Amino acid sequence: MDVAPILDLVGEPVGAALAGLTAGMIFGVSAEQSRFCLRAAAVEVARRQWGGRLAVWLLTFSTALLWTQLMDVTGVIDLETSRWLASPGTVTGAVVGGLVFGVGMILARGCPGRLLTLGATGNLRAILSGLVFAVVAQMSLYGVLSPLREAISGAWTTGGPNPHVLWELGLPASSGIAIALVFAVAALVIAFRNRVSLTTLFFGCGVGFAVAAGWFLTFTLYQASFDPVPVGSLTFSGPSADTLMFVLSSDRALDFDVGLIPGVAIAAFLSAWVSGRLEWQGWDGAGAMRRYLTGAALMGFGAMTAGGCTIGAGVTGGSTFAFTAWLALTAIWAGGMIADRLIDQRPAAASPAVPT
């Protein structure tokens, strides 16, 4: 795909932002329609329910895995140029950050991607929680929390490039496609047992496809641009902080990440509007407010320490089979399930009844 004429016309920064906007809009409408949420899936597993939200998450993950691995195996993209495989990974960051993020996800009743989607539909709780997440993420990257993050992340690293799980196990590259199909079959079995609608499954696939689209678009820009363009895909930790700084500062340039967040918000808003789901929602008391904002802060620090959020490390990073991405994803699941067990499953737990 030759995008050079487009980049010559609009410029590389605008072209990158448009790519982010495109991937974000695919994610936004798909996430809003499917109610994609890893927190809800983790809660189902923790409570041994194996319900529809788990089916949607598995289908999203398998779709991202399948398309990303297909493009990599066939040479459409080269995942070795991505930061997940080209740069050293942090083992302690993935474990500690993932656990912290998982706890925060339960407290905030949604991951950053879900909060952004809900915020676009009129959920004021999600909007404020998302802002807290972005501020703490920025503090963890460059601010007062940066030394703590660096100490945790630097305690144990992979040294060289992040190990590729399949290569370390001695498996051929094509085995990634087979693994994706296994996840897909599991998702469809669970979906069938829970009578999940075909529409929900379609849009669940759409969330995963958005991740694959992000890989394709950034790699295409990487090949065509004069200035270096990072090869990556969807994540909400860095882009949330970057978008916040873009709004607050005049020296922040347009790029893929800055286009991503508005794309998700616009598409989720339009999807909810067409479906009649736009509704203003506020707080359910001071206790709920403390819970949400604490969770958002934990997610902000955890995501930056782990190298990404449920989408960034979990689905985008996981689709590359980078070792620390899978480690972070496992830690996020574990942290979420433990937090649900200790906090929300207590007999006297005061968990706010908030739709997610």
Side-chain angles (χ1 to χ4, degrees), residues 40-321:
V43 168
E44 286 185 347
V45 175
R47 301 180 185 186
R48 301 176 184 176
Q49 294 176 348
W50 310 96
R53 308 302 287 277
L54 175 61
V56 170
W57 188 89
L58 287 172
L59 194 58
T60 292
F61 186 70
S62 63
T63 301
L65 200 60
L66 178 62
W67 281 101
T68 302
Q69 289 298 308
L70 275 173
M71 289 191 293
D72 188 47
V73 169
T74 56
V76 175
I77 62 174
D78 182 5
L79 291 176
E80 291 188 59
T81 59
S82 73
R83 74 167 178 91
W84 280 108
L85 293 175
S87 304
T90 166
V91 176
T92 46
V95 173
V96 176
L99 289 171
V100 170
F101 184 97
V103 173
M105 175 181 70
I106 294 297
L107 292 175
R109 297 185 67 83
C111 65
R114 182 60 179 161
L115 293 179
L116 178 58
T117 303
L118 286 174
T121 68
N123 190 315
L124 299 178
R125 297 182 294 261
I127 293 174
L128 184 55
S129 297
L131 287 173
V132 170
F133 167 79
V135 170
V136 175
Q138 185 70 12
M139 291 168 59
S140 303
L141 187 61
Y142 298 117
V144 295
L145 295 177
S146 178
L148 177 60
R149 175 189 60 80
E150 292 175 352
I152 295 173
S153 299
W156 185 4
T157 68
T158 59
N162 208 338
H164 192 294
V165 174
L166 299 182
W167 299 347
E168 294 298 318
L169 295 175
L171 297 174
S174 58
S175 60
I177 298 172
I179 293 172
L181 292 175
V182 170
F183 277 109
V185 170
L188 293 175
V189 169
I190 297 173
F192 177 77
R193 290 179 177 176
N194 289 274
R195 298 182 179 180
V196 180
S197 70
L198 291 177
T199 300
T200 299
L201 294 179
F202 173 79
F203 284 108
C205 289
V207 178
F209 183 77
V211 171
W215 283 118
F216 175 77
L217 290 169
T218 57
F219 185 74
T220 301
L221 290 171
Y222 166 80
Q223 291 182 305
S225 298
F226 178 78
D227 294 322
V229 174
V231 177
S233 188
L234 275 63
T235 183
F236 291 102
S237 48
S240 294
D242 290 343
T243 304
L244 178 64
M245 295 309 298
F246 179 82
V247 174
L248 298 177
S249 174
S250 60
D251 59 356
R252 182 67 172 84
L254 286 170
D255 58 16
F256 181 88
D257 289 349
V258 173
L260 173 66
I261 301 300
V264 174
I266 292 169
F269 170 81
L270 293 175
S271 174
W273 180 34
V274 171
S275 303
R277 285 191 289 269
L278 289 179
E279 180 183 3
W280 290 112
Q281 297 182 49
W283 299 99
D284 297 325
M289 185 174 184
R290 286 193 298 269
R291 171 183 170 132
Y292 273 78
L293 299 187
T294 300
L298 290 175
M299 285 197 297
F301 179 77
M304 284 304 186
T305 306
C309 59
T310 49
I311 292 294
V315 183
T316 292
S319 68
T320 69
F321 281 99

